[in-house]
Amino acid sequence: MENKVKLVSKNLSTLAAEYGVSLHTMRKWLLLINGLKVEGRTTRDYTPKEVEIIYNHLGVPNCDYDQQ
């Protein structure tokens, strides 16, 4: 059976928990993703589109992500 990933808004703490890393490490990883605004954000949450960019770059934690 194929796992489907639902893309929803997520904050830094949620993303760090999904990847099993500290907030500091997650922030460092996000800074390496081109086109993703990490510094000077006006919101704490990453949009579903930004979460998709993160998953495309880092992989989806705990499942296989089929890029379409």
Side-chain angles (χ1 to χ4, degrees), residues 3-31:
N3 289 335
K4 294 288 182 182
V5 175
K6 184 169 182 164
L7 297 171
V8 296
S9 295
K10 297 183 179 189
N11 63 30
L12 186 63
S13 297
T14 302
L15 289 167
E18 285 182 355
Y19 285 96
V21 298
S22 69
L23 292 175
H24 179 73
T25 298
M26 191 72 223
R27 195 173 218 304
K28 284 174 47 176
W29 288 358
L30 295 180
L31 286 169

